[in-house]
Structure formats: C-alpha cells, structure tokens
Amino acid sequence: MLDPRSLRRFRKNRGALVGLGIVVALGLYALLAPALSAFPPELSDFTAPRTPSGTLSGPSARHWLGVDHLYRDVWSRLAHGARISLGVALLATTLSSVVGASVGMLAGWFESTRARLVDTLLMRLVDIGLSFPYLLLVMAIGAALGDVTLSTILLVLGLTSWFGTARLIRSKTIQVRGLDYVLASRALGQSTFRLLLKHVLPNVAGPLIVVASASVAQMIIAESVLSYLQVGLPPPTATWGRMLQEGQSYLGVSPRLAVAPGVCIFLAVLGFNLLGEGLRDALDPRED
Amino acid sequence: MRWIPGKTSWLVALSCALPGCGGAPAPPLPAAGSPTPRQGGTLHAATFSDVRSLDAATAFDTVSSVIESLLYDTLVSYDAEGRLTPQLAERWALSDDGRRYTFSLRRGVLMHDGRELTADDVKRSMERALHPDTPCPVPSYYDKIEGYAAYHAGRAPTLSGVRVSGRYELQISLSSPDSTFLLLLALPIMAPLCESAGRTWRASFNLEACGAGPFKLEAYEAGLRVRVVRHHGYWKKGEPKLDAVEWQLGVQPFTQRFKFERGELDYLRELTEADSQQYRSSAAWAGQGAWESSLVTLGVFMNTQLPPFDDVHFRRAVAFAIDREQVSSVRPGNTTPRARMVPASITPDRPGQAHHRYDPARALEELALAGYPYDPATGRGGYPEAIEYLAIIDSFSQQSAELIQQQLARVGVRLRLSVVGFPTFLAKSGRPRTVKMGFAGWHADYPDPSTFFEPILSSRSIQEEDSQNASFFANAELDALLDEARISTDEARRAQLFERAEQLVVEQAPWVPVHDYRAFELWQPYLRGYRPHPLLPQYVRGAWLDRAERAASRRAPRTTLAWALGRGWSAPR
C-alpha cells in the first residue's frame, strides 16, 4: 500500500514515527497484558493496606501502580483496559471501514448511471446518519440497550461511524471510474464486482487507511465515553473510561487512579491521530 | 506543529501522580456566630440519586422521604431526642382495650392550599393511601385498622375503622391492639393531604404535592432539582426559618464536595470514603460534622420465586459465601459487618443470638445439596449460568456487588452485574418474577424491630408493583411471629419473637444482611440549628442560615485547587 516514495516520506515524518511508536507500544501492552500483570484485573488483593487518612495503597513492588478502591491491581486493570479499548476501537473501525467503503464504492460507481437511484438512496442515508451528533447517538443507543456486551459495543460503534467514510470513498470512486484503464476493463466486459474489487478498491485503499487511523482514535474516545457514563460494558470489566470514572472520586487522595487511565486514553488518541496524519502526508504526492 | 512538553506541566503531573497529593479539605466558610436564629435564605443540598416520587402515599425510599419530611406533617412525629410527640394531633387517647385511638387535631392548621385542616382531610388522606388503586408500598402496615381488608380489596366504599367524630376529632378503631400503630402514623404515608390530592391516587399529584408541612413544593424537575419554599401559613409560629430548600439531583459525590467547598452547597452527606476521612481528621472542620445514627441494614436479596433461589440450599450457599469483613473494609468508617436483620442501634447485640456467618466450606456443601457441586481446585461444577445481580449505579451497592461477585465465584456461582439508576432499581426489584437477586437495603421506618421484618419479609407485603418484599418471601411461621409481636405489649415476649424471626431469616436466607451504614454529615458554619436526627434522615426543618455570611461567602468562591495554590499543599489539619 505504501510505495517506496511514500514509505520514505513516512520515515522522514517524526510525528508519524512517534505515533507509530505509541501505537506499537500500546498494542504490545495490550497483547502481553496477562504476562505483564501478576494479578487478575477483577480480583481484589485485601493484603494491600490503606493509610489512616484513607489513601489507597500506592505503587509498590507488588502493585506497580498501586490498587484501586476495591483493592484491585491498577496496572493489571490498565493492561486489560488496553485490550478492550484498542480491541474495540480496531474491530469497530474495521467494521465501519468495510461498511463505509462498500457503500461508498457502490454509490460512486452507480452515480450518473441508469441505476443512480442506488446512489441517491445510499447518500440520503449517509446524510441522515451524519446529521446526528456521533457521540450523542452512541450514548443514546448505549443507554437504550441496557445490557451491553462486547459485541453490542462493537456493533454500535461500527454501525454508527461509517457515514463519513462512505462519502469520501464515493467521491474517490467517481474519480477512479473515469480512468482509462477502468473504462477499458468495462469495455472488455468485466463484471461490476470484479471492477470494484480489482480497480477501484486498490485506488481508494490509501484514503481509507488514513480515515481508518483517525477513526480508531475516535472509537477509543467513544468507548471511553460510554464506559465513563456507565452505559458501556458492565462492571467489573476493566476499561479505561470506567477506570477514569471510578478514579475521579479519589482524585483528592489518590490522583493516580484517574491520571493513569487518562494518560492512556490521551496517548492512544494522540498515537493514532499522529499515525493517521503521517499516513495522509505519506500517501499525498504533493508532499514531495 | 511541534509539541514541546513544558517542565512545569511535567512537574505538576508528576506531583499529582504521587499518593497523598492534594485532597486536604479547604477551610470552612466563616460564621459570625449570631446568637439568635435568623429568618431567610435558601438551603442548598444535593444527592447523587433522583427522587422517585413526592406523593406521600407512594414515596417510600430514603431519598424521597427527605423531601417528604419538609412537605408533610403527620398526626404524630418525633422530637429531637427521637421520642414520639404530637404534631398535627394536639393530643390523643387510647381506649382501655387498646383498640380505639381518639385524636384531637390542632385548630387553625393551614394546608398549603390555604384551607384549614379538619378531621375529614385526615380520613380522606388515609383512605386515599390505602385505596386498592393506590400503589402504596406498605399498606399491610395498616391492616389492623377495622375494615381495612374489605376497603383495600375494593369491597367497601370507605375505611370503616376511621371515623370523623367532630370537625377536629378523629377516631381510629383497630381490629386488635397494635403496639406499633402510633409509630406507623408518624410515617408520611398517613400524612393529611390537600383536597386537590383527591380521594384516589393519580400520578400527577407527584408534581403538585400539597400537605401541611413547613415547606411547599415550588419546583420538581426530575433528575435535576427539587425546590420547596416556606409555607407562610405553617401552624408552628416562627417556623421554618429558611425561605427555601433546594435539592440538586444526580450530582456525583465527588462533585458535591467541591460544590460544598465553593459554598454552593450548605450541607453535605454523600462523601466518598477518602473525603470523609479527610474532613473527620481536619481540625478546621471540627464541630461542623457528625455521624448519623446507623438505622440501616444493607445486604443481598434473593427472589424465592425464581430458580435457583427457590431452593433454600442455594440461598444458604450464597449466605455462607459472603465475607462481610471484606465488603466492609472498602468503607471502614461508614460500615461495619452486620449478620442480623435488625441494627444494633435498635436491638443491641448479645452473645448467643442467631446470625449469619461466613463459611465457604458450608457454602459448598449447601450448593452440592442444591444439586450444583463445585470443586474450587479445578473450577468444575457450580451453577451453570451467570445470575443477574441488580445494583444501584455509582453507589456503594455497586462496589459491594463487585466484591460479592468475586466471593460467590469462589464457590461456583457466577454473577452478571446490572447497574441501574435508583428509581429503576426500585421499580425492577419490586416486580414479581423479574429480578433474581440484588442489593437490598432497609432503613428503619420507626424505632422497633418489626420495621426490619414486616415490610420486607412478610407475605402481606408482597405486591404486584412496588413490592418492598423483593425476595417475595412467604413464610407462615414468620407471618405468625410478626402478628403476635404486633399485638403483644410484653417487651420480653416481643424480644423472643423477633429473635425467632432472626433465626428464621438465617435458616431460610431470603435476605442476607451484610453490613450496616452510617453517613458522616457535614454542614457549613453558617448553617445553624442542624444536627443529625436520631431517627429521621437529613431532617433540616429546624435549620437556619446567616444570610449576610452566606452572601459574603458567595462573593468569594473557593476551590481546593485555588486554596492549595494560594496556601500551598498541606497535610489534613
């Protein structure tokens, strides 16, 4: 996907490299979560003491980031929170990208053809979707669902965030459709499906990756908001948003409980945004 | 654009990441020490929860009852020491056979609508509360009133046991003596309501609550605020001192603390454990706070209508698997482990009393008897499905649920937590065959052990909606014990009966007491005349404010951060 010139541009972009570094580090943290923590994230360790002033047990060799209000290991909960936050964000983005790209390519392909009704219908659907404030929509659905599982979160996030992608891919598809070699392939009788798969998809892949990178950051925030507002995964599941919500009550005596997940959310969003910007710059020939 | 981290921001971030940074309470807002109570001002308070109802006949939770205590007066109430005292009734007399009360009402008592209170209003309000169409949560409390059964079943047009014998005189006849009857009349359920309440219940009265209390309802915005203003026609001359009381709803405890320090709240009760300890150990706040009485038992209910809790062995397994010490250790100041239904403040603990106990081995035995053997070493067996456990969002019930979830998992019972708002919790848990298990809590309605059995465990309190008996537990022996205790005036015999009731709860385990609870209450120095009442939660009727001080404090809001930056970080004083 990245040709040598694009790769060279990416390597020269320090912001992109920092973003990539953060993303890789958080990815490794999430993948190695069980090995990195000696304590299960949902298990209390009642041997961790509290000070007489009510301060929760702070960082120690046993608990690297101390314990939370229910004597659970903060490091372990952060690591498992990384799994959920990043996992949900990546999978929801994948779902969103697949739906958005499919709708965008179909709409763009049929634009100005006899089947342009397909384009009209799909784009009006996109208009309706984009007219809702994204986070508000996600929160409303989350609250209405009641019992939320990992798959419902994935579906809610993935199926409410593809509208922007669809619009972008549609405009890109309209450009690609008019290229000579695509017209030649059409003249040779290739099916619409093959044309979309072989000629359009590779041409829209670049912008799709850029949008997806930024979308991951948006998904991380959305999942955190849902958890923070307690309409996400039920307790005691460790998510960064829930940890932030639980930690705020102890901001006065144990600020690390809120600071730690807050920093993680910040780094993850920063990392994916820097990476997305870097990819956009790298894939843009005007950068040369 | 390049981003360069400033050294200061890193230092602040680093310092805030260290344990013990900040958190010391800001100094209290000043008080002038006026010797005489002043009239005027609005008292501001907050709660994390919402108010479910303000209709005296139906509201029956600790949040609603706080507002109700401002809106409604009752025939009898409690004085500052918790002794029963006349309120709207000037006096009462009991017949020799203990079955007929005659109440003489105060004259000149004006309701919120400006009309004078008469015996007709009292009768109408009682009939409204016990009408078959009224979702009164505890009608069985009043089943000793003659004619109750026929009236509550819709077979009689009036409650024959309540008779108006004069404009200001009312007679209530009982089918048998009831040692708790006067205490029950002190509940807002029996509060006289304005004529606008009608003879039968309607939901809209919730928004236009009207009684004879010292304050009348001005605004009720669900989830946002309740504002009550002074009832100028209140019968007790010179009271209340406050012009208004405003409760903010749905405010997180963490936010409440900072609102309190800014002077936006005058009274604070819902403190986090850490904040509570900070204030308690602060010399600057000495004398501005006190513990409320512990009149609460909190625990777990199990719905005996639904499997697997229709099996007593399964219920006992759960009861044996709960480690009360662990749960209480999360809120050491507010809670102490409790293994009996009735709090020690009502029935003092004695050796040899019946009580639950933590015994994981017995839990496994009982689980095997229920048909779900579990091997903790291999993790094989146990109950095959995750059981939904209902708790209240953002409350200690949620935290205790997370701990109980761990404890039950050790004996092979998996829980799936469902956390909902307080009104939803009440609605769901009060519906038959709906919730399998969940958080249970009961605050004494009156100072007698029966209040911890009759409304939450007697078969009479089972209802199709708003059942307080969330276990839907029906046990003939318990019902008979409670019946006898109610008509008995022999204290020793009553104590025996309630001890047997405790024993039954241990044996049958429909409800597992886990801990008691008491809150540490704080108030600003300029809030005068307030002390926690021994029985009535957050009873702020007699409070008054120094308006000049309050205005000054509002001009100079403070935050912990502003104070800390100005004075430097320090340890709690």
Side-chain angles (χ1 to χ4, degrees), chain B residues 97-350:
Chain B
D97 63 358
R99 290 180 47 202
R100 192 175 71 245
Y101 286 90
T102 305
F103 293 93
S104 298
L105 302 185
R106 287 181 197 281
R107 300 182 182 214
V109 172
L110 294 182
M111 310 285 281
H112 294 164
D113 60 4
R115 285 182 57 258
E116 189 190 15
L117 173 78
T118 65
D120 282 325
D121 295 313
V122 181
K123 179 176 167 66
R124 176 177 37 76
S125 302
M126 285 183 170
E127 287 182 341
R128 179 183 181 273
L130 302 178
H131 192 274
D133 294 341
T134 301
C136 174
V138 281
S140 65
Y141 265 180
Y142 305 96
D143 63 0
K144 292 284 183 280
I145 298 177
E146 265 183 11
Y148 165 85
Y151 180 71
H152 190 63
R155 296 195 306 270
T158 59
L159 192 55
S160 59
V162 180
R163 197 166 62 83
V164 174
S165 49
R167 183 173 169 81
Y168 303 105
E169 193 172 284
L170 186 83
Q171 290 186 345
I172 302 178
S173 302
L174 306 180
S175 54
S176 60
D178 183 349
S179 54
T180 60
F181 189 68
L182 278 178
L183 302 172
L184 296 170
L185 287 184
L187 294 176
I189 288 175
M190 286 289 119
L193 307 178
C194 300
E195 207 170 10
S196 60
R199 295 193 170 274
T200 53
W201 175 83
R202 61 187 163 82
S204 59
F205 183 68
N206 186 34
L207 299 172
E208 55 200 56
C210 184
F215 293 90
K216 52 186 181 180
L217 185 65
E218 184 181 83
Y220 172 27
E221 296 169 55
L224 285 179
R225 67 175 187 132
V226 177
R227 182 180 170 84
V228 296
V229 295
R230 186 150 67 102
H231 172 35
H232 291 281
Y234 188 55
W235 61 271
K236 215 168 181 178
K237 295 302 167 207
E239 288 195 13
K241 298 293 176 206
L242 297 166
D243 280 344
V245 180
E246 184 161 325
W247 286 84
Q248 298 172 22
L249 309 175
V251 183
Q252 294 288 328
F254 175 68
T255 314
Q256 285 184 37
R257 174 193 164 163
F258 290 104
K259 281 176 173 265
F260 181 70
E261 292 191 354
R262 284 174 58 91
E264 291 175 20
L265 297 179
D266 308 310
Y267 162 86
L268 186 60
R269 182 179 178 273
E270 292 169 0
L271 283 158
T272 64
E273 170 65 16
D275 286 344
S276 174
Q277 292 206 23
Q278 295 273 339
Y279 278 106
R280 271 155 30 213
S281 58
S282 165
W285 281 92
Q288 292 309 128
W291 288 105
E292 66 175 6
S293 308
S294 177
L295 292 165
V296 180
T297 301
L298 304 174
V300 175
F301 75 80
M302 289 171 268
N303 191 332
T304 56
Q305 292 178 320
L306 295 172
F309 299 115
D310 52 354
D311 185 333
V312 68
H313 293 296
F314 203 97
R315 299 199 299 267
R316 281 186 201 151
V318 169
F320 279 121
I322 293 176
D323 185 343
R324 292 165 182 78
E325 299 284 344
Q326 278 190 356
V327 176
S328 284
S329 72
V330 175
R331 298 294 296 261
N334 300 109
T335 66
T336 47
R338 190 77 199 143
R340 286 167 58 83
M341 292 298 293
V342 183
S345 56
I346 291 180
T347 304
D349 290 341
R350 285 181 289 103

Side-chain angles (χ1 to χ4, degrees), chain A residues 253-265:
Chain A
V253 287
S254 302
R256 64 192 159 77
L257 294 181
V259 169
V263 166
C264 284
I265 294 169

Side-chain angles (χ1 to χ4, degrees), chain A residues 45-77:
Chain A
D45 175 14
F46 286 95
T47 61
R50 286 190 188 199
T51 67
S53 66
T55 308
L56 303 165
S57 181
S60 64
R62 190 174 166 83
H63 298 285
W64 296 352
L65 284 177
V67 296
D68 72 0
H69 61 298
L70 294 181
Y71 301 90
R72 297 172 299 200
D73 187 80
V74 175
W75 173 261
S76 170
R77 288 182 70 75

Side-chain angles (χ1 to χ4, degrees), chain A residues 14 42-44 46 50-56 58-59 69-72 77 147 229-230 234-236 242 245-246 248-256 259 266 270, chain B residues 2-3 16-24 252 254 257 272-275 277-278 326-327 329-330 332 388 393-394 398-399 402-403 405-406 410 416-419 572:
Chain A
R14 277 200 283 176
E42 289 154 14
L43 201 66
S44 302
F46 286 95
R50 286 190 188 199
T51 67
S53 66
T55 308
L56 303 165
H69 61 298
L70 294 181
Y71 301 90
R72 297 172 299 200
R77 288 182 70 75
D147 286 340
L229 296 174
Q230 305 234 43
R242 175 174 298 283
Q245 193 269 342
E246 291 171 344
Q248 70 177 11
S249 298
Y250 299 86
L251 206 53
V253 287
S254 302
R256 64 192 159 77
V259 169
F266 169 74
L270 179 73
Chain B
R2 289 168 187 244
W3 177 66
C16 281
L18 296 172
C21 152
Q252 294 288 328
F254 175 68
R257 174 193 164 163
T272 64
E273 170 65 16
D275 286 344
Q277 292 206 23
Q278 295 273 339
Q326 278 190 356
V327 176
S329 72
V330 175
E388 184 185 10
I393 202 163
D394 278 345
Q398 181 180 326
Q399 297 175 9
E402 291 180 47
L403 295 175
Q405 185 184 40
Q406 292 181 36
R410 287 183 214 130
R416 180 167 50 83
L417 304 188
S418 170
V419 288

Side-chain angles (χ1 to χ4, degrees), chain B residues 432-496:
Chain B
R433 285 173 284 279
T434 303
V435 181
K436 287 195 171 182
M437 76 184 303
F439 159 78
W442 194 256
H443 185 286
D445 292 325
Y446 48 84
D448 188 85
S450 60
T451 186
F452 284 90
F453 296 104
E454 178 65 39
I456 50 178
L457 289 169
S458 85
S459 65
R460 290 178 289 266
S461 59
I462 292 176
Q463 301 193 126
E464 286 302 305
E465 283 291 333
D466 291 314
S467 177
Q468 302 299 310
N469 184 345
S471 303
F472 295 90
F473 181 63
N475 183 285
E477 186 186 352
L478 182 68
D479 289 348
L481 288 170
L482 297 178
D483 275 340
E484 189 183 340
R486 208 158 156 193
I487 59 172
S488 173
T489 51
D490 177 351
E491 284 307 312
R493 176 61 185 153
R494 293 187 87 229
Q496 278 180 354

Side-chain angles (χ1 to χ4, degrees), chain A:
Chain A
M1 237 146 276
L2 286 180
D3 58 61
R5 289 170 66 191
S6 302
L7 201 58
R8 197 167 53 248
R9 283 197 291 270
F10 187 82
R11 279 186 191 146
K12 278 184 184 171
N13 186 334
R14 277 200 283 176
L17 291 177
V18 169
L20 182 65
I22 293 172
V23 168
V24 169
L26 285 175
L28 287 173
Y29 184 47
L31 282 173
L32 302 174
L36 287 169
S37 48
F39 294 90
E42 289 154 14
L43 201 66
S44 302
D45 175 14
F46 286 95
T47 61
R50 286 190 188 199
T51 67
S53 66
T55 308
L56 303 165
S57 181
S60 64
R62 190 174 166 83
H63 298 285
W64 296 352
L65 284 177
V67 296
D68 72 0
H69 61 298
L70 294 181
Y71 301 90
R72 297 172 299 200
D73 187 80
V74 175
W75 173 261
S76 170
R77 288 182 70 75
L78 268 187
H80 283 78
R83 278 194 156 189
I84 289 174
S85 291
L86 297 181
V88 164
L90 288 169
L91 288 173
T93 299
T94 306
L95 178 63
S96 163
S97 300
V98 168
V99 175
S102 307
V103 169
M105 285 195 299
L106 276 176
W109 188 261
F110 291 116
E111 192 259 356
S112 301
T113 66
R114 275 180 296 178
R116 59 181 170 273
L117 185 65
V118 174
D119 173 52
T120 307
L121 288 175
L122 289 175
M123 283 304 103
R124 290 305 77 76
L125 182 66
V126 166
D127 289 340
I128 292 168
L130 285 172
S131 67
F132 287 104
Y134 173 63
L135 276 179
L136 199 65
L137 181 67
V138 168
M139 282 189 290
I141 296 174
L145 284 175
D147 286 340
V148 176
T149 61
L150 203 56
S151 33
T152 37
I153 293 265
L154 274 175
L155 287 174
V156 167
L157 293 180
L159 296 178
T160 52
S161 59
W162 55 268
F163 307 108
T165 308
R167 181 167 277 182
L168 177 82
I169 298 303
R170 173 181 176 269
S171 62
K172 219 47 197 160
T173 304
I174 292 170
Q175 285 176 18
V176 174
R177 195 187 58 187
L179 295 177
D180 289 344
Y181 69 93
V182 178
L183 291 173
S185 298
R186 283 178 77 179
L188 289 170
Q190 281 202 352
S191 70
T192 302
F193 181 74
R194 276 187 69 85
L195 285 166
L196 286 173
L197 205 64
K198 288 194 73 176
H199 297 306
V200 179
L201 188 59
N203 278 289
V204 300
L208 190 62
I209 289 170
V210 172
V211 171
S213 308
S215 171
V216 174
Q218 198 184 9
M219 297 291 185
I220 289 169
I221 291 176
E223 189 279 323
S224 300
V225 167
L226 285 178
S227 296
Y228 180 85
L229 296 174
Q230 305 234 43
V231 288
L233 292 169
T237 313
T239 67
W240 289 343
R242 175 174 298 283
M243 291 178 73
L244 194 63
Q245 193 269 342
E246 291 171 344
Q248 70 177 11
S249 298
Y250 299 86
L251 206 53
V253 287
S254 302
R256 64 192 159 77
L257 294 181
V259 169
V263 166
C264 284
I265 294 169
F266 169 74
L267 283 178
V269 172
L270 179 73
F272 278 103
N273 275 332
L274 287 175
L275 182 64
E277 282 184 22
L279 285 170
R280 186 196 62 202
D281 293 345
L283 291 166
D284 187 352
R286 285 171 296 180
E287 289 291 315
D288 271 338

